[in-house]
Amino acid sequence: MKKLVMAFVVVVLILTTARPALADTVYTVQPGDTLGRIAARFGVSVQAIMSANGLTNPNLIFVGQRLIIPTVSGAPAPVQPPSGGTTVYIVQRGDTLVRIAARFGVSVRAILNANPGINPNLIFVGQRITIPAGGGSGQPAPPTTQPPGLTAPPPPPPATGGGFELGGHVDTFAFPEKMKYAGMTWVKKQLRWTPGMSTDAARDIINEAKSKGFKILLGIVGNPGDISGGANYDSYAAFVGEVAALGADGIEVWNEMNIDREWPTGQINPASYVELLRRAYTAIKARNPNTLVISGAPAPTGAEGAFGPDRVWNDDRYVRGLAAAGAANYMDCIGIHYNEGIVSPTKTSGDPRDNFYTRYYQTMVSVYYGAFGGKRKLCFTELGYLSPEGYGPLPPFFAWGANTTVAQQAQWLGEAANLAKNSGVVRLMIIWNVDFRRYDDDPMGGYAIVRPDGSCPACDQLRKVMGGR
């Protein structure tokens, strides 16, 4: 795993253009910022910023978080870029490069030079464009008349419709009839991407799933070193776009980005992931607007205090950061994992370990759905209960699941599916897992609903909820 060391300071100014003159400002938190300093800088109160952003703790903000700065008695004070520095502008609906250049008092050519690879005839809502220092004050000039011919349509808006569906994460496609009996219409496979790889493996997975009568969700994740410092974001986006064009019904963009097993050490930051998500979403929808785009599900964890934020972010903080960074604009569904339960999903207390929110199904739903204010439904891309029955003792790290029986696993999965189906906030639930057999330091087989003897008690419980097919 590579570690990227960077030293730079950039002031990010994000100005909305949908409303002239009195539009709010969206400010991206920088190292050393506090709410008090930000409030003083813009001439507003701390309480006004907290109210505009739904904040409850004035001491809990983080680098990369996007804060709405409300207008008070006129336009907020501008943030001046450092001498010789740059401004990062977020493209708004109706923008063109000519209009943006005029607003900031620079030339189109200067913007093109500052953004290698940008197509002057193809910009889109949400795109981040570096504005080089020019003769202006760093504050946009008054809007100009929009010239024709330079604007491109924005990416399709996220889809919000669709009723609840059930699926399973498979190692093989050996049990399609058991899955259908349980009422599953989706199947999930995970694919490990590397820069430059072909889509042959994805094509084979898609074709096999569809031949067996299932929608296919592909979780596509790569190695942390391949995206260090933002490297290969466009390569990843191009790949998932091609996979969408092959007929993938859903794509989960990365996986567990809040831990350094899946994201570069020292670079864990929701805003960085949202940039990858933005590019992936745009590429996917351009190739197949019907592909369901799911944000990568964070790892449920409270380990940040033990290991530090260079290695892990608690998932509740990370999810709030995703929302603040605008992730809802680039997803159809919020990815979520739940895999450490040892009590019924109907309970919100009573776990013998503690009452941390990740222990309970319903508090996880509340944290994730609430972080986005109900703007997007949840997609469980991994939900399971661990039982060692039929395998033998669990490894020490998973000893918390030692007393869960297969009967409890089956009952709790049925209860979780019933809660999700009737909640109105869950779009998709993928059971982790159907048929994995690995049982060592990572006891995947203990989560499998098809047990070592070939039985599937959970299939019966899920059928009661879903009705089978």
Side-chain angles (χ1 to χ4, degrees):
M1 185 178 298
K2 300 177 182 177
K3 188 170 184 179
L4 179 69
V5 180
M6 298 187 298
F8 67 92
V9 177
V10 61
V11 177
V12 180
L13 173 64
I14 307 170
L15 298 172
T16 59
T17 61
R19 297 170 291 162
L22 297 184
D24 293 337
T25 293
V26 181
Y27 176 73
T28 301
V29 177
Q30 303 296 311
D33 276 343
T34 66
L35 275 189
R37 290 178 181 175
I38 296 169
R41 189 173 198 175
F42 285 91
V44 299
S45 69
V46 169
Q47 188 56 51
I49 296 177
M50 292 179 66
S51 297
N53 293 275
L55 302 178
T56 58
N57 186 344
N59 299 313
L60 186 61
I61 61 173
F62 50 88
V63 174
Q65 184 175 4
R66 295 171 69 188
L67 296 175
I68 296 171
I69 310 299
T71 299
V72 178
S73 299
V79 180
Q80 301 295 339
S83 177
T86 61
T87 297
V88 177
Y89 177 74
I90 306 298
V91 176
Q92 306 295 312
R93 188 177 298 275
D95 274 344
T96 68
L97 277 189
V98 172
R99 169 176 280 188
I100 295 169
R103 285 175 63 82
F104 284 90
V106 298
S107 68
V108 170
R109 175 53 56 189
I111 294 178
L112 292 173
N113 290 339
N115 297 269
I118 191 172
N119 184 336
N121 298 309
L122 184 62
I123 63 172
F124 47 86
V125 173
Q127 185 174 4
R128 303 170 73 89
I129 294 180
T130 299
I131 309 298
S137 64
Q139 183 177 3
T144 59
T145 302
Q146 178 180 335
L150 281 180
T151 188
T160 56
F164 174 74
E165 294 181 278
L166 183 71
H169 192 145
V170 302
D171 183 30
T172 70
F173 286 96
F175 301 99
E177 296 310 314
K178 289 184 184 294
M179 295 174 68
K180 291 177 182 178
Y181 174 84
M184 295 181 182
T185 55
W186 285 78
V187 62
K188 179 187 174 184
K189 291 276 285 186
Q190 191 171 84
L191 191 63
R192 183 66 64 168
W193 162 84
T194 56
M197 73 179 287
S198 78
T199 56
D200 290 349
R203 178 184 290 105
D204 292 343
I205 293 170
I206 292 168
N207 290 342
E208 185 169 13
K210 291 184 179 296
S211 72
K212 296 183 184 299
F214 290 91
K215 297 179 182 179
I216 176 66
L217 168 64
L218 282 167
I220 301 179
V221 61
N223 298 307
D226 287 331
I227 56 165
S228 183
N232 295 307
Y233 277 18
D234 286 332
S235 175
Y236 176 87
F239 180 82
V240 295
E242 291 296 327
V243 172
L246 291 173
D249 298 288
I251 294 175
E252 183 179 12
V253 178
W254 219 260
N255 177 65
E256 299 191 341
M257 314 79 61
N258 62 321
I259 56 176
D260 66 356
R261 184 179 66 227
E262 302 286 17
W263 200 264
T265 304
Q267 299 176 39
I268 297 172
N269 188 318
S272 299
Y273 169 73
V274 170
E275 178 58 21
L276 177 67
L277 178 64
R278 178 188 68 77
R279 299 189 197 192
Y281 174 87
T282 303
I284 291 168
K285 293 298 186 180
R287 300 302 304 276
N288 187 348
N290 295 319
T291 299
L292 187 73
V293 179
I294 304 174
S295 61
T301 182
E304 182 176 339
F307 295 97
D310 280 354
R311 296 196 59 195
V312 58
W313 278 37
N314 289 351
D315 60 307
D316 61 335
R317 185 163 84 97
Y318 194 91
V319 171
R320 291 195 301 270
L322 291 177
N329 295 316
Y330 309 112
M331 66 165 94
D332 299 315
C333 201
I334 305 163
I336 177 173
H337 285 173
Y338 177 67
N339 50 24
E340 62 179 69
I342 56 173
V343 297
S344 165
T346 63
K347 295 185 177 181
T348 56
S349 63
D351 189 301
R353 294 167 292 183
D354 52 52
N355 278 325
F356 197 62
Y357 70 95
T358 63
R359 309 300 193 200
Y360 306 102
Y361 168 86
Q362 294 190 63
T363 52
M364 284 289 288
V365 169
S366 178
V367 166
Y368 279 62
Y369 191 69
F372 283 86
K375 293 179 180 178
R376 296 288 176 270
K377 288 186 177 183
L378 306 180
C379 282
F380 280 93
T381 57
E382 184 175 302
L383 184 143
Y385 291 92
L386 174 63
S387 173
E389 189 175 331
Y391 280 100
L394 287 164
F397 189 74
F398 292 88
W400 47 265
N403 296 321
T404 300
T405 67
V406 169
Q408 286 174 319
Q409 179 199 60
Q411 177 186 339
W412 295 345
L413 285 172
E415 290 174 347
N418 187 57
L419 288 170
K421 180 181 178 181
N422 294 295
S423 68
V425 305
V426 178
R427 171 68 178 84
L428 177 65
M429 179 176 286
I430 299 293
I431 301 299
W432 170 254
N433 62 73
V434 174
D435 64 335
F436 282 74
R437 288 290 174 261
R438 175 179 173 180
Y439 196 83
D440 46 26
D441 61 322
D442 190 358
M444 298 181 184
Y447 284 95
I449 59 174
V450 177
R451 304 306 295 184
D453 62 1
S455 67
C456 183
C459 292
D460 293 322
Q461 296 299 320
L462 292 168
R463 182 180 177 84
K464 292 177 183 178
V465 177
M466 303 302 298
R469 53 184 289 241

